[in-house]
């Protein structure tokens, strides 16, 4: 997967695996919270697969509260029935869409939510095409990536939401500032988030007699640990670390101190990052980038087959590993005894500084039901909506201790305290923050990244090209 499809929200397919709840003491601790949430999402097990691309869901029975509703003429709010059309992708394989719709409708009986599934391929292009028609057919839009988000803003197709947000801005851990356009407004409110951590194989560490990584690990310490954990050769080779071929897995270590950005056309700060990773590659501490590109070896396979002691990856990989372990016996493979720790950070940056992606919701500027649409968007990002998202095994954008308890109580979550602590973050830097030229910038950065990592260009040559080409884009 290229970075352009994952910088805003789109983690790999395995991110959509849901997590299974386990019993015991952890479950008892959060039973009260889950009772209400599970009632909302149990209807998922009754939903049939397939169906037309636009599906209406009737509001489940519940209390008598109602959402603000607007007439087609945009009149005063009322309790009249209102139907919201919500643009999404991959409804049948993504649990949280229906869960959020059902959760909201349960408490807003006058609202019916229809979902228009545009599919994941070229989703943002299809969405822009529909919205550009100037009609209000779609009311709520799901935003998949930053380049597409920037395009919708450039086309004046979204409602500014700065003055509409009801969840405290600080609950989003600095992400909203990175979604703010040049006019000072943000046009999407995140409801789902993924952030990067380090996954490690406990058995490999035990066999090597090396202490597990910690939740306060600098980049120098990460490098040292990789070297300690590298052993063997040929088919018996164990790499201390594994960088996937995405640019974000390597170069974005450079933004974790909060001093630099990848959208301003100045990339000299990336030189020590690339030099460190290329030295690790030269020393055989991590697999060769070119060989990974050629072989197509996925990071999940490298970690699951025991050839990588550590993998830096997004939190979506947790669900993949839980599913792998749950099905290991039936698939004739051994489960992986794994743990997680916070992302390695530069000197001077706090532990918990990490990369992130978000999925956001926006409102069609041509919708005649904007007030009701905004109310739904705010609910999805609220603590109540966050609990619904967490109950599907997905990380909400505005996490609380309760939602983290839900995630940690899922079947197959590592039992150690450090893994649960790894779920808390200090600062989250988007893999691609907002820029009106995000798509063009990313194309340049990805091209030069591949050239540097394969040795087709030196680090200095690649960074020079980044500086010149991105500056030309920004000045164009």
């Amino acid at each position: 997967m290229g970075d352009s499809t994952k910088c805003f929200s789109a983690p790999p397919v395995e991110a959509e695996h849901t997590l299974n709840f386990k019993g015991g003491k952890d479950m008892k601790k959060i039973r009260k919270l889950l009772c209400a949430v599970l009632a909302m999402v149990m209807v998922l097990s009754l939903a049939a697969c397939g169906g037309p691309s636009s599906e209406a869901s009737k509001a489940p029975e519940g209390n008598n509260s109602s959402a603000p509703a607007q007439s087609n003429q945009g009149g005063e709010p009322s309790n009249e029935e209102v139907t919201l059309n919500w643009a999404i992708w991959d409804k049948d394989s993504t649990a949280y869409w229906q869960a959020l719709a059902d959760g909201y409708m349960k408490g807003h009986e006058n609202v019916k939510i229809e979902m228009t599934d545009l599919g994941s391929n070229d989703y943002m292009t299809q969405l822009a095409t529909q919205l550009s028609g100037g009609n209000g057919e779609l009311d709520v839009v799901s935003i998949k990536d930053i380049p597409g988000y920037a395009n919708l803003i450039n086309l004046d197709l979204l409602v500014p939401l700065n003055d509409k947000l009801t969840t405290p801005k600080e609950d989003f851990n600095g992400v909203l500032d990175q979604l703010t356009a040049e006019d000072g407004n943000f046009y999407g409110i995140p409801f789902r988030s993924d952030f990067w951590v380090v996954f490690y194989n406990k058995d490999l560490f035990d066999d090597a007699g090396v202490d597990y990584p910690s939740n306060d690990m600098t980049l120098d310490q990460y490098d040292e640990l990789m070297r300690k954990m590298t052993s063997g050769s040929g088919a018996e080779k164990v790499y201390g670390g594994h960088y996937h071929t995405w640019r974000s897995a390597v170069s974005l270590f450079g933004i974790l101190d909060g001093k630099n950005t990848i959208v301003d056309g100045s990339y000299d700060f990336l030189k020590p990052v690339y030099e460190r990773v290329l030295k690790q590659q030269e020393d055989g501490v991590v697999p060769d980038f070119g060989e990974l590109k050629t072989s197509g070896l996925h990071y999940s396979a490298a970690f699951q087959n025991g050839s990588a002691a550590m993998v830096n990856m997004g939190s979506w990989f947790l669900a993949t590993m839980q599913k792998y372990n749950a099905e290991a016996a039936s698939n004739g493979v051994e489960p992986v005894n794994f743990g997680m720790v916070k992302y390695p950070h530069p000197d001077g940056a706090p532990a918990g500084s990490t990369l992130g992606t978000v999925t956001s919701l926006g409102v069609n500027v041509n919708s005649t039901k904007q007030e009701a649409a905004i109310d739904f968007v705010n609910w999805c990002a609220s603590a109540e909506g966050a609990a619904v998202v967490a109950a599907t095994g997905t990380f909400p954008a505005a996490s609380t201790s309760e939602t983290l308890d839900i995630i940690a109580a899922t079947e197959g979550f590592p039992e150690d305290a450090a893994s649960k602590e790894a779920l808390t973050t200090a600062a989250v830097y988007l893999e691609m923050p907002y820029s009106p030229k995000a798509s063009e910038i990313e194309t340049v950065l990805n091209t030069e990244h591949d050239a540097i990592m394969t040795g087709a260009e030196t680090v200095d040559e690649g960074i020079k090209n980044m500086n010149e080409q991105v500056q030309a884009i920004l000045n164009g």
Side-chain angles (χ1 to χ4, degrees):
M1 168 179 286
D3 287 71
S4 63
T5 58
K6 63 188 285 296
C7 59
F8 197 81
S9 75
V13 173
E14 62 263 30
E16 303 301 353
H17 296 319
T18 56
L19 311 182
N20 299 314
F21 290 102
K22 64 185 177 184
K25 295 180 180 179
D26 288 337
M27 190 71 251
K28 293 177 182 177
K29 292 180 181 178
I30 60 172
R31 188 176 301 278
K32 291 183 179 179
L33 177 63
L34 286 179
C35 284
V37 174
L38 291 177
M40 298 175 190
V41 302
M42 280 179 63
V43 294
L44 288 172
S45 62
L46 303 177
C49 295
S53 61
S54 181
E55 303 180 22
S57 302
K58 292 182 179 180
E61 293 183 3
N63 59 40
N64 294 322
S65 62
S66 59
Q70 275 181 267
S71 69
N72 287 338
Q73 289 72 38
E76 292 299 318
S78 71
N79 290 332
E80 296 179 1
E81 291 189 1
V82 59
T83 298
L84 295 176
N85 194 346
W86 182 15
I88 62 165
W89 64 88
D90 294 350
K91 176 180 181 293
D92 291 337
S93 61
T94 309
Y96 51 74
W97 299 129
Q98 189 67 54
L100 286 168
D102 289 341
Y104 182 78
M105 290 188 296
K106 185 177 179 65
H108 304 80
E109 292 184 335
N110 63 312
V111 179
K112 180 170 65 175
I113 295 176
E114 294 180 347
M115 284 180 275
T116 297
D117 191 337
L118 299 178
S120 56
N121 292 331
D122 297 322
Y123 168 83
M124 291 302 294
T125 300
Q126 293 188 56
L127 178 62
T129 300
Q130 290 206 20
L131 295 179
S132 295
N135 60 59
E137 180 180 345
L138 295 173
D139 302 298
V140 179
V141 298
S142 305
I143 302 171
K144 194 177 186 204
D145 58 61
I146 286 286
Y149 172 66
N151 185 46
L152 296 182
I153 294 174
N154 292 339
L155 295 172
D156 295 323
L157 295 175
L158 298 177
V159 174
L161 298 174
N162 293 47
D163 298 331
K164 309 298 182 182
L165 180 68
T166 55
T167 299
K169 187 177 179 181
E170 55 269 21
D171 288 2
F172 296 94
N173 224 353
V175 167
L176 285 175
D177 290 335
Q178 299 172 72
L179 299 179
T180 299
E182 294 173 319
D183 63 2
N185 293 308
F186 55 83
Y187 294 79
I189 297 177
F191 74 92
R192 178 218 170 131
S193 175
D194 282 287
F195 53 91
W196 287 57
V197 296
V198 170
F199 292 83
Y200 66 96
N201 186 315
K202 292 182 178 180
D203 289 342
L204 290 178
F205 273 81
D206 291 342
D207 291 344
V210 177
D211 291 339
Y212 296 156
S214 78
N215 275 312
D216 187 0
M217 178 169 53
T218 66
L219 289 171
D220 287 340
Q221 290 169 334
Y222 189 43
D223 177 84
E224 181 181 356
L225 200 53
M226 280 187 187
R227 295 177 183 279
K228 285 183 179 179
M229 288 304 301
T230 299
S231 64
S233 61
E236 302 300 317
K237 174 82 173 188
V238 174
Y239 292 97
H242 182 104
Y243 296 120
H244 192 51
T245 54
W246 296 326
R247 175 180 51 81
S248 52
V250 170
S251 68
L252 293 188
F253 286 118
I255 67 172
L256 294 177
D257 59 4
K259 299 176 182 179
N260 299 289
T261 177
I262 60 169
V263 294
D264 68 355
S266 179
Y267 301 99
D268 292 347
F269 70 93
L270 292 179
K271 182 174 180 177
V273 176
Y274 276 116
E275 288 177 340
R276 180 197 296 269
V277 171
L278 289 175
K279 185 67 167 70
Q280 292 170 343
Q281 186 172 280
E282 178 185 343
D283 294 344
V285 175
V286 298
D288 180 79
F289 178 89
E291 292 178 3
L292 288 179
K293 275 282 196 178
T294 302
S295 68
L297 177 65
H298 199 263
Y299 62 86
S300 58
F303 189 66
Q304 290 160 358
N305 67 22
S307 65
M310 296 184 289
V311 173
N312 59 315
M313 190 46 60
S315 53
W316 58 79
F317 191 40
L318 169 62
T320 303
M321 290 306 303
Q322 288 172 298
K323 184 175 187 291
Y324 179 86
N325 283 349
E327 298 175 353
S330 60
N331 289 333
V333 296
E334 290 295 321
V336 179
N337 181 20
F338 75 97
M340 301 182 300
V341 292
K342 297 179 190 291
Y343 213 52
H345 60 88
D347 290 331
S353 300
T354 187
L355 311 174
T357 63
V358 291
T359 306
S360 294
L361 299 177
V363 175
N364 181 4
V365 72
N366 292 307
S367 169
T368 58
K369 308 162 192 173
Q370 289 184 16
E371 187 171 356
I374 290 170
D375 190 75
F376 173 63
V377 169
N378 271 315
W379 183 90
C380 289
S382 70
E384 191 174 0
V388 171
V389 172
T392 68
T394 307
F395 288 87
S399 291
T400 65
S401 58
E402 289 80 7
T403 58
L404 295 183
D405 282 343
I406 293 173
I407 297 293
T410 52
E411 186 68 41
F413 188 91
E415 296 289 343
D416 61 288
S419 290
K420 183 176 180 181
E421 184 186 348
L423 303 183
T424 59
T425 59
V428 178
Y429 300 98
L430 292 182
E431 295 179 29
M432 174 62 74
Y434 169 80
S435 166
K437 304 291 183 67
S439 180
E440 298 165 85
I441 291 172
E442 189 161 60
T443 297
V444 171
L445 298 185
N446 287 344
T447 300
E448 295 305 319
H449 171 74
D450 285 5
I452 291 172
M453 292 299 297
T454 57
E457 294 176 354
T458 66
V459 174
D460 288 336
E461 288 170 342
I463 289 177
K464 180 175 182 289
N465 288 338
M466 291 181 193
N467 289 339
E468 292 177 353
Q469 294 177 35
V470 174
Q471 281 293 344
I473 291 170
L474 296 175
N475 295 332

